[in-house]
Amino acid sequence: MRTYDIERYLNIRSAYGASFAPDGERLSFLMDTTGVPQVWTVDEPGAWPEQRTFYEERVTFASWSPENHEVIFGMDKGGNERQQLFRLEPDTGVIDDLTQSPDAKHRWGGWSHDGEQFAFTSNRRDNSVFDVYVQDRDATEADARLVHEGDGWLTLGGWSPDDSKLIVAEAYSNFDQDVSVLDLATGELTHITPHQGTVRFQSATWGPDGENVYMVSDRASDTLELVRYSLDSGEFSLVESGGDYEIEGVGIDEDSRRIVYARNVEGYTELTFGELTAPDEIDVYPEPDLPKGVAGGISFSPDGDRAAVTVTASADTANVYVVDLKTGEAERWTRAATAGIPRDTFVPPELVHYPTFDGRDIPAFFTLPEESPEGETPVIVDIHGGPESQRRPSFSAVKQYFLSRGYAYFEPNVRGSAGYGKAYGHLDDVEKRMDSVADIEAAVEWLHDHPAVDPDKIVAMGGSYGGFMVLASMTEYPDLWAAGIDIVGIANFVTFLENTGDWRRELREAEYGSLEDDREFLESISPINNIEKIRAPLFVLHGENDPRVPVSEAHQLVEEAREHAHVRELIFDDEGHGFSKLENRIEAYSQIADFLDEFV
């Protein structure tokens, strides 16, 4: 089989995040043809797209006005996550900076229905909390109206059908949220989800008449269900249960009463489109004819008859499809290039389950390369971050590159992962943190029993919290690993919590434990304090501008670890929490490949 270098794989493109123009004839979307995501538009399926933004920095989203021929998009600088908002006129190329507050984060909250205003949350008043703002479409930062002062992590769920109210969501952790309704005329904030303990209230959106709010919640079950809250009665009702699986999101087109919800089935997305014939009744349309994989980023056409959907699969890169809702027929509108690498060379995974120390079965995706000599195949155990995240069957150019080089890929969803219900998600909270690391040890035991695997050539790799998992696995189980790759990982929970962005600290303490109450425990499980146990070679990569896991985490780790093992370090001056620029990704993964060639 012909092989390609990492630069070719990293030039594989993705098209995603589509938004319909108000005439329904054009789509905007993001594509990374230039090396970082930019705004593009396309007029029909498979047509040649037009690039609309030309920055060296990544564009994070783009949303077309419901009435005017203009797009608002987001962009940060150097990966610092301090997103600013910009207005683009695609036909003239004119771009206006709407927020002009480079030291603050701005979280998009949606257009008003008349297209004359937009909403967002920002921490410009106080770096540690987010407030709600409303701004006219052609106004500047100074004219933004602060309509609600928050005291936590606030996001918006959109404008009511008459544009008089906003849905305001507050997150305390990834498994605990609240939803309120903000009256823009009076400033009154009505809390609609009072609860005890941790309960998820997510993906809140307005019903067609503005009298109901739909969302997904585990308020009465272990898994997320589609529920409706009546503003008149103040009561919840169940609209749809996902059974053993989670309904992870809902979207509604108010004018047409069209609805979509997504079911997460062991990582794969099952989309259901339909029409609300009554507040709790859905006339379900035919199943959309989309590739099996992970779907999201849904945008309804102005008439509600179609929906743009981003779909990615393990063996196919992300592209935008448009679904005819009544027939289920889907047509691919974008043609994200594969850098000349044949699509049939991309290898799909097998969904497996392996036993762990307490009798549970842990789900994972296992992919063997095309040639897997018995007892000779090296394996990369790629551990997701979060920790309340989930490894799903989406496309990864890095994964396909290593598969082409003969590595197998093992991607576990250890306890604490999202997508498997509330109880599973809480199994790694605070004092149970190391139980998830034990799940990694069980994964390696499972790999040792696989006939294709060389047990002496198993690599731990992960980013962010996954980087902590790599370091913890190497200190707790040092004899299992041939090498470790830590990308923007946490080495010391205490210094991480002390130095992370002010707006994130409370969210992270809810998961890991607090500096005030759990400092001794956090010190005990921090890999930096057990670094002398590392035996395998370690490669540490980080971004200088990381606002989540400060680069100091990498520096202190490397200084300590070099006394006990071979350690390599690579810091990018123009990156944050991960690597978004193509040239940096090429350098990072070229060096990772060389590192593994040398030691594995």
Side-chain angles (χ1 to χ4, degrees), residues 34-205:
T34 62
V36 289
Q38 298 294 303
V39 180
W40 297 66
T41 62
V42 65
D43 296 331
E44 59 183 80
W48 189 264
E50 294 283 345
Q51 186 176 350
R52 301 298 181 176
T53 59
F54 300 86
Y55 295 101
E56 293 182 0
E57 302 290 353
R58 61 180 179 180
V59 173
T60 49
F61 79 92
S63 177
W64 214 303
S65 166
E67 294 292 338
N68 304 306
H69 229 62
E70 59 191 16
V71 173
I72 286 181
F73 67 89
M75 184 172 63
D76 67 359
K77 185 175 182 179
N80 66 6
E81 299 185 9
R82 295 183 177 96
Q83 176 178 263
Q84 307 297 303
L85 305 180
F86 301 83
R87 181 166 61 93
L88 161 70
E89 296 176 2
D91 293 334
T92 66
V94 172
I95 295 176
D96 296 317
D97 184 346
L98 298 173
T99 46
Q100 301 175 20
S101 300
D103 293 330
K105 295 167 66 76
H106 300 83
R107 300 171 66 84
W108 175 242
W111 290 95
S112 61
H113 291 76
D114 61 8
E116 293 302 314
Q117 301 179 91
F118 61 93
F120 60 91
T121 62
S122 177
N123 63 342
R124 58 172 65 164
R125 177 182 62 87
D126 180 337
N127 193 51
S128 63
V129 299
F130 286 80
D131 302 323
V132 180
Y133 293 83
V134 170
Q135 186 170 327
D136 292 343
R137 53 175 281 277
D138 54 357
T140 61
E141 174 269 341
D143 299 316
R145 301 186 300 281
L146 194 162
V147 295
H148 173 71
E149 289 191 2
D151 59 2
W153 182 275
L154 301 187
T155 55
L156 299 178
W159 301 68
S160 61
D162 64 0
D163 288 337
S164 67
K165 301 179 180 67
L166 288 169
I167 292 174
V168 180
E170 181 168 6
Y172 313 113
S173 74
N174 284 354
F175 277 88
D176 190 19
Q177 299 91 31
D178 264 321
V179 175
S180 300
V181 172
L182 176 64
D183 188 306
L184 293 174
T186 67
E188 181 182 1
L189 188 72
T190 303
H191 181 201
I192 66 174
T193 57
H195 63 278
Q196 295 182 336
T198 58
V199 181
R200 288 177 289 176
F201 296 96
Q202 299 175 353
S203 190
T205 188

Side-chain angles (χ1 to χ4, degrees), residues 231-246:
L231 294 176
D232 288 338
S233 69
E235 296 181 352
F236 279 96
S237 58
L238 176 65
V239 181
E240 189 69 37
S241 171
D244 292 334
Y245 302 106
E246 304 217 295

